[in-house]
């Protein structure tokens, strides 16, 4: 039996939802993975009479495609879709079996209207929590449009292919054989990248809002819910709904929930916001803010949204080390997400730049996968909590170099080393390695506001105890503000506070 009993029980329930037959075409050899894939197919066909299996030859072996009888959908899985991809597999079965993808009608219409042939390939690792979003979005597009096809490729099962394409970050997507993008992408992001996003005129025709929230992380979601519950016209514009929690695995300090995972929390934030009458505009970046009679927020696509009040909750992003090689080798050995990209460095030598909590946590995680991990710390001591330092020091394949200033990340077509200066002696050293994880903290996403309002030296928006900024009617919340602590629960609290502040302002003005 390839499926564990509890997974099988869950899957049994989902398979009851199949409305039509599903034909799985399998391309298998005699290797262990092929045998496991055949066993999975056998097991599935005994679980539902609607699932049929036949042998075929596909571009990759082992792989299988998920089809309607008599019509190939173009959805294929190369390698076993276990781990985080199991849900992608179940959704593919259900959608091919007649259940409509859970996507807004306007997006469905845009996908169906795409003309031409588009073959996507997504390289994943089964432990990557950002990969399923991309796989599921592209599978849904394949279900909706016969010109679109998609193959998920497990990098661990197709190592040679991954190495020949120099893939060092997942998810990495190719379109018709050419690099298309990497990192988490929603269906809307993919459409926008293909030139099928909502055009500026669609957004520009919007009536003014009472409250317009900019940013869709914990702070923005909370602000939008609090505002909408007052019955006022609320909009939320966000580049990436969910924010940083999409890059977070385990969360153990979200009070009232003993344990959850970032993408799961992000999905429930979106679901909660959708319970209310909130106009959600995803995959859109704000580029400029100006106070006229109303407050105007101009988006990067040129559309201008107007509102009586605005709540800025644009959060923060990974800080770069800004040394030669960092930008050139991004996704070619320079990485920021150890959970996502760590498995691609199995058996290799890597460095983590930064010895704070996130750096040391990353090094501990990576030590379980890679051959050796070196932590590069700028100051004379690590800043991480002592319990983490003790754990790190107990690992046989981890080294810490203190007083080290990274000078350059070296490489040719991908990373081959790191040069640092010993700050005590001034000597330059070079370490040979294949991967560098940058973990030196965060920087607020506020550059686009320039000097329209007061920001600290670090770029954080200065707010008062109601979340008000120095522009009347403009409020701010979460990690983009000068709040001393940056946490999910604190961001949510400050989002609620700013929404109540904005509501008070509307009553008085
Ligand atoms: C790896 C990691 C692990 C963490 N673990 C924990 C933990 O265990 N517990 C905990 O409490 N906290 C944790 N945190 C911190 C927590 O995730 C943040 O404090 C929280 O997400 C901040 O929420 P926010 O809404 O202020 O900002 P963010 O989550 O950063 O959200 C910002 C939002 O604004 C959008 N945006 C940015 N710029 C623009 C623009 N110009 N136009 C439109 N939209 C824009 C973004 O796309 C996003 O939707 C972790 C953070 C990281 C990176």
């Amino acid at each position: 039996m390839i499926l564990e009993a509890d997974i099988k029980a869950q899957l049994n329930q989902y398979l009851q939802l199949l409305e039509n037959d599903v034909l799985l075409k399998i391309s298998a050899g005699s290797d262990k993975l092929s045998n496991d894939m055949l066993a999975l197919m056998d097991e599935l066909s005994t679980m539902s009479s609607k699932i049929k299996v036949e042998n075929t030859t596909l571009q990759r072996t082992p792989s299988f495609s998920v089809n309607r009888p008599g019509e190939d959908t173009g959805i294929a899985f190369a390698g076993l879709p276990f781990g985080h991809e199991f849900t992608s597999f179940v959704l593919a079965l259900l959608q091919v079996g007649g259940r409509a993808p859970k996507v807004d009608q306007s997006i469905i219409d845009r996908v169906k209207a795409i003309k031409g042939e588009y073959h996507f390939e997504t390289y994943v690792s089964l432990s990557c929590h950002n990969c399923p979003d991309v796989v599921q979005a592209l599978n849904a597009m394949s279900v909706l449009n016969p010109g679109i096809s998609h193959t998920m490729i497990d990098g661990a099962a197709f190592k040679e292919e991954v190495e020949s394409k120099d893939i060092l970050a997942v998810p990495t997507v190719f379109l018709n054989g050419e690099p298309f993008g990497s990192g988490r992408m929603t269906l809307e992001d993919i459409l926008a990248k293909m030139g099928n996003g909502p055009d500026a005129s669609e957004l520009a025709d919007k009536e003014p809002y009472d409250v317009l929230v900019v940013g869709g992380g914990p702070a923005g979601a909370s602000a939008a819910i609090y505002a909408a519950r007052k019955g006022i016209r609320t909009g939320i514009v966000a580049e990436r709904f969910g924010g940083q929690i999409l890059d977070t695995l385990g969360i153990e300090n979200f009070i009232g929930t003993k344990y959850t995972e970032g993408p799961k929390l992000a999905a429930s934030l979106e679901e909660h916001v959708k319970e209310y009458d909130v106009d959600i505009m995803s995959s859109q970046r704000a580029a400029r803010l100006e106070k006229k009679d109303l407050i105007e927020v101009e988006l990067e696509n040129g559309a201008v949204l107007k509102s009586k009040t605005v709540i800025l909750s644009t959060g923060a992003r990974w800080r770069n080390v800004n040394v030669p090689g960092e930008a050139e080798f991004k996704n070619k050995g320079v990485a920021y997400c150890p959970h996502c990209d760590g498995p691609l460095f199995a058996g290799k030598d890597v460095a983590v730049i930064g010895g704070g909590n996130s750096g040391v946590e990353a090094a501990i995680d990576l030590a379980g996968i890679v051959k050796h991990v070196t932590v590069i710390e700028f100051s004379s001591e690590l800043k991480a909590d002592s319990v983490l330092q003790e754990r790190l020091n107990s690992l046989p394949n981890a080294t810490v170099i203190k007083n080290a200033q990274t000078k350059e990340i070296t490489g040719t077509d991908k990373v081959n080393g790191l040069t640092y200066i010993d700050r005590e002696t001034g000597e330059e050293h070079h370490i040979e390695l294949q991967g560098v994880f940058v973990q030196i903290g965060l920087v607020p996403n506020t550059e686009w506001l320039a000097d329209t309002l007061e920001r600290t030296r670090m770029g954080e928006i200065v707010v008062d105890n109601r979340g008000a900024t120095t522009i009347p009617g403009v409020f701010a919340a979460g990690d983009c503000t000068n709040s001393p602590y940056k946490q999910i629960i604190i961001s949510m609290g400050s989002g609620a506070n700013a929404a109540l502040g904005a509501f008070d302002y509307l009553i008085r003005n």
Side-chain angles (χ1 to χ4, degrees):
M1 210 170 69
I2 187 111
L3 294 170
E4 285 171 16
D6 53 339
I7 294 188
K8 193 165 175 173
Q10 261 184 13
L11 187 58
N12 242 325
Q13 289 183 350
Y14 287 122
L15 295 180
Q16 309 291 325
L17 302 173
L18 287 177
E19 290 168 10
N20 309 315
D21 284 356
V22 175
L23 176 62
L24 299 170
K25 293 187 185 174
I26 175 164
S27 178
S30 52
D31 54 294
K32 156 107 178 54
L33 202 60
S34 289
N35 287 337
D36 287 349
M37 195 176 275
L38 286 165
L40 173 67
M41 298 296 132
D42 264 2
E43 207 162 332
L44 281 169
S45 58
T46 60
M47 289 169 74
S48 167
S49 59
K50 289 208 159 64
I51 294 188
K52 319 273 181 228
V53 180
E54 69 177 39
N55 291 326
T56 191
T57 306
L58 296 171
Q59 188 187 344
R60 294 177 185 83
T61 294
S63 71
F64 64 92
S65 57
V66 186
N67 308 291
R68 303 177 187 106
E71 187 201 346
D72 285 359
T73 60
I75 297 177
F77 291 88
L80 277 169
F82 282 166
H84 285 295
E85 292 304 338
F86 192 65
T87 313
S88 305
F89 174 46
V90 175
L91 283 174
L93 286 175
L94 293 180
Q95 290 170 8
V96 173
R99 312 288 298 192
K102 282 196 178 156
V103 183
D104 289 350
Q105 191 56 45
S106 65
I107 295 180
I108 293 181
D109 294 343
R110 265 191 273 149
V111 175
K112 285 189 170 169
I114 295 172
K115 302 222 167 6
E117 294 292 315
Y118 297 88
H119 178 54
F120 289 96
E121 292 169 305
T122 306
Y123 292 85
V124 305
S125 72
L126 300 182
S127 59
C128 156
H129 54 281
N130 286 324
C131 297
D133 284 326
V134 178
V135 171
Q136 288 164 26
L138 289 167
N139 284 349
M141 289 172 73
S142 307
V143 166
L144 292 167
N145 185 322
I148 299 175
S149 58
H150 174 235
T151 304
M152 177 221 86
I153 303 150
D154 172 19
F158 292 88
K159 274 203 180 103
E160 279 179 17
E161 189 172 328
V162 163
E163 287 191 0
S164 72
K165 290 195 160 162
D166 281 342
I167 293 168
L168 285 171
V170 285
T172 288
V173 182
F174 284 73
L175 169 57
N176 296 337
E178 297 296 322
F180 176 76
S182 73
R184 184 182 179 274
M185 282 178 268
T186 62
L187 212 163
E188 280 178 283
D189 295 334
I190 295 166
L191 284 175
K193 234 171 145 46
M194 292 172 75
N196 294 287
D199 59 27
S201 60
E202 240 173 90
L203 294 165
D205 290 341
K206 304 239 178 208
E207 288 290 303
Y209 299 94
D210 292 314
V211 174
L212 176 65
V213 180
V214 184
S222 161
I225 290 169
Y226 265 74
R229 284 174 60 83
K230 294 287 183 192
I232 53 182
R233 182 167 154 71
T234 306
I236 182 166
V237 59
E239 188 182 8
R240 200 170 73 124
F241 204 100
Q244 288 168 63
I245 54 174
L246 292 169
D247 304 324
T248 309
L249 207 55
I251 298 169
E252 297 176 347
N253 56 2
F254 184 49
I255 307 307
T257 304
K258 276 191 274 185
Y259 179 85
T260 186
E261 294 189 348
K264 192 169 163 202
L265 179 59
S268 67
L269 287 185
E270 190 163 0
E271 203 182 316
H272 197 174
V273 172
K274 283 183 172 164
E275 279 294 299
Y276 294 92
D277 191 9
V278 175
D279 187 8
I280 303 178
M281 292 158 277
S282 303
S283 307
Q284 298 293 335
R285 260 181 83 82
R288 197 181 55 83
L289 178 133
E290 192 178 351
K291 167 119 175 139
K292 295 187 178 163
D293 280 351
L294 292 169
I295 300 150
E296 296 190 357
V297 173
E298 186 178 337
L299 305 182
E300 269 184 358
N301 71 2
V304 178
L305 302 170
K306 295 180 181 148
S307 185
K308 291 179 189 160
T309 64
V310 165
I311 298 174
L312 301 166
S313 55
T314 48
R317 63 179 186 278
W318 302 113
R319 184 183 294 280
N320 294 336
V321 272
N322 287 325
V323 294
E326 183 183 30
E328 290 92 311
F329 299 120
K330 190 169 175 204
N331 297 337
K332 297 279 173 212
V334 174
Y336 298 82
C337 179
H339 300 303
C340 319
D341 299 333
L344 296 169
F345 295 87
K348 297 184 175 167
D349 292 324
V350 303
V352 173
I353 302 180
N357 278 343
S358 55
V360 171
E361 270 179 38
I364 294 168
D365 277 2
L366 288 166
I369 304 169
V370 302
K371 186 162 142 222
H372 190 271
V373 55
T374 307
V375 176
I376 307 282
E377 167 57 44
F378 182 81
S379 45
S380 56
E381 290 306 326
L382 293 182
K383 305 234 165 44
D385 296 344
S386 56
V387 49
L388 291 173
Q389 291 194 40
E390 279 162 27
R391 174 97 184 80
L392 181 71
N393 291 335
S394 74
L395 298 172
N397 60 340
T399 312
V400 177
I401 303 179
K402 296 176 192 164
N403 267 323
Q405 181 182 354
T406 305
K407 188 178 170 215
E408 185 179 356
I409 298 168
T410 59
T412 46
D413 49 346
K414 55 186 172 185
V415 167
N416 64 15
L418 178 147
T419 307
Y420 70 90
I421 295 168
D422 181 325
R423 294 174 59 236
E424 260 175 359
T425 63
E427 278 171 22
E428 198 170 296
H429 299 271
H430 184 257
I431 323 170
E432 283 183 15
L433 39 75
Q434 292 81 48
V436 177
F437 287 80
V438 181
Q439 299 282 308
I440 52 168
L442 298 162
V443 32
N445 295 316
T446 58
E447 297 86 344
W448 64 283
L449 295 159
D451 50 10
T452 51
L453 42 65
E454 188 183 351
R455 293 186 296 152
T456 65
R457 200 171 48 83
M458 310 290 286
E460 296 166 334
I461 302 168
V462 176
V463 289
D464 70 10
N465 61 8
R466 287 165 186 248
T469 70
T470 46
I471 305 178
V474 178
F475 296 75
D479 280 17
C480 65
T481 70
N482 60 340
S483 141
Y485 307 111
K486 318 288 198 227
Q487 289 285 284
I488 297 163
I489 203 151
I490 294 172
S491 290
M492 285 186 178
S494 72
N497 191 51
L500 296 173
F503 185 66
D504 250 6
Y505 173 90
L506 285 168
I507 292 173
R508 286 162 209 272
N509 289 277

